[in-house]
Amino acid sequence: KCAAYAKGLEGCRKANPEDADRVCKNLSVMLVSCYAEDHATQEAAEHRRCYTKLYTTGMYKGLGHCIPYEDAMRKALKDRGIKLT
């Protein structure tokens, strides 16, 4: 299910070795979200609510309002022993 995101992120990192964190950020978040949907459901739901609220209110401007929720998903996956590429 998450293989396409993993492969896309891997390709992005190879194509942008000097600035991969910035350039590939969206793919990274998509991969984390995909894994979290199955392995960190509470954290994934909170992240989804954050983005849904921003989009429905028109407040989303790409400013990273939901980064704390992304970090929570990453931590939950790490705590469960799930390694991301």
Side-chain angles (χ1 to χ4, degrees):
K1 171 178 155 179
C2 302
Y5 296 126
K7 189 169 183 141
L9 181 58
E10 181 182 343
C12 183
R13 286 179 175 160
K14 285 180 182 176
N16 301 283
E18 295 176 13
D19 199 15
D21 287 343
R22 183 184 65 80
V23 175
C24 305
K25 180 170 178 26
N26 287 346
L27 282 170
S28 178
V29 171
M30 291 168 71
L31 178 62
V32 170
S33 297
C34 184
Y35 278 115
E37 288 293 328
D38 291 332
H39 303 288
T41 55
Q42 181 178 346
E43 292 83 356
E46 290 173 7
H47 180 256
R48 191 172 40 260
R49 278 193 293 276
C50 177
Y51 268 102
T52 299
K53 180 180 177 182
L54 290 173
Y55 278 115
T56 58
T57 60
M59 294 179 62
Y60 181 76
K61 305 288 185 227
L63 300 175
H65 298 286
C66 299
I67 288 176
Y69 301 100
E70 294 168 15
D71 292 342
M73 288 190 299
R74 288 180 199 280
K75 182 181 183 317
L77 292 171
K78 183 179 178 183
D79 290 349
R80 289 167 176 82
I82 298 168
K83 296 184 182 210
L84 304 171
T85 60

